[in-house]
């Protein structure tokens, strides 16, 4: 049995003038949401023995803030392929995860993370999957269990979605901005 937890980076600052999207930082709301999600992860006793993450600034800052709420976690394995990756590329990365890792945290971007959940979890009427299909907001956590003993055997429709936690589920002020 393997557990794969996906975390989308927190809300980034579009107002910051940066030359590359890769260098876009988190905004204040994003930092607050990431720390809150980290506290939730600690409170839910989520543990990880391997972390893979995009090296984009908004992901590194998300992990810094999550760690403030969560505490110590394994040092991330930075993988440039995670940056804006498709579900297909993310699945390739999952297939390459260390065999001895049982609980992995993958931190990256949408739409790849959302598409990966929708690929791995069977398409059936189920409230958590429906929520993912509706929207996978920033700083949101999706946890899946996989009945495999080797990451290379992870396949479409082979996962069970056990957790989908959005920042607004933990603090309503972190929901969508009112317009």
């Amino acid at each position: 049995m393997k557990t794969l937890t996906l975390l989308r980076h927190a809300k980034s600052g579009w107002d910051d003038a940066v030359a590359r999207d890769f260098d876009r930082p988190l905004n204040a709301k994003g930092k607050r949401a990431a720390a809150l999600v980290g506290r939730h992860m600690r409170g839910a006793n989520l543990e990880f023995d391997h972390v893979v993450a995009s090296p984009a600034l908004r992901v590194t800052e998300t992990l810094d803030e999550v760690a403030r709420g969560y505490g110590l976690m394994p040092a991330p394995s930075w993988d440039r392929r995670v940056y804006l990756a498709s579900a297909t590329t993310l699945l390739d990365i999952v297939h390459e995860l260390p065999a001895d890792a049982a609980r992995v945290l993958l931190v990256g971007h949408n739409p790849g993370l959302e598409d990966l959940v929708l690929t791995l979890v069977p398409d059936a009427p189920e409230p958590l999957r429906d929520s993912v299909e509706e929207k996978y907001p920033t700083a949101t956590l999706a946890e899946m269990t996989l009945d495999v003993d080797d990451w290379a055997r992870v396949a479409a429709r082979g996962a069970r979605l056990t957790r989908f936690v959005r920042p607004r589920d933990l603090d309503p002020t972190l929901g969508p901005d009112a317009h």
Side-chain angles (χ1 to χ4, degrees):
M1 180 72 75
K2 303 283 189 185
T3 301
L4 178 62
T5 302
L6 308 180
L7 175 63
R8 183 177 174 198
H9 68 78
K11 194 158 198 57
S12 55
W14 286 95
D15 296 336
D16 294 301
V18 294
R20 302 181 312 159
D21 172 75
F22 188 86
D23 299 320
R24 207 161 13 96
L26 296 184
N27 65 21
K29 186 176 180 179
K31 289 179 180 180
R32 216 176 71 194
L36 180 62
V37 168
R39 286 192 299 278
H40 169 77
M41 290 164 58
R42 182 184 66 222
N45 295 314
L46 299 186
E47 295 180 9
F48 308 101
D49 45 32
H50 190 73
V51 178
V52 179
S54 161
L57 181 61
R58 58 193 178 273
V59 173
T60 64
E61 289 185 350
T62 295
L63 279 170
D64 289 344
E65 294 300 322
V66 165
R68 289 165 55 93
Y70 178 81
L72 192 61
M73 70 172 58
S77 171
W78 304 107
D79 190 329
R80 180 72 186 226
R81 295 176 298 165
V82 178
Y83 176 65
L84 303 180
S86 67
T88 302
T89 299
L90 292 173
L91 187 55
D92 288 344
I93 293 166
V94 167
H95 287 155
E96 297 168 11
L97 290 170
D100 62 342
R103 301 183 61 80
V104 172
L105 176 64
L106 175 60
V107 189
H109 311 266
N110 244 12
L113 293 178
E114 176 180 335
D115 292 343
L116 182 60
V117 173
L118 297 176
T119 296
L120 294 178
V121 177
D123 187 4
E126 200 280 315
L128 287 181
R129 190 183 192 286
D130 293 347
S131 293
V132 172
E133 203 163 8
E134 181 182 312
K135 186 172 184 183
Y136 195 127
T138 53
T140 293
L141 197 67
E143 180 187 74
M144 295 171 284
T145 56
L146 303 127
D147 192 14
V148 295
D149 56 0
D150 185 339
W151 292 104
R153 300 187 61 184
V154 172
R157 296 175 303 285
R160 189 168 70 84
L161 187 61
T162 55
R163 182 184 319 263
F164 186 67
V165 180
R166 303 166 297 197
R168 71 175 175 227
D169 299 330
L170 307 172
D171 178 349
T173 67
L174 293 171
D177 295 327
H179 294 293

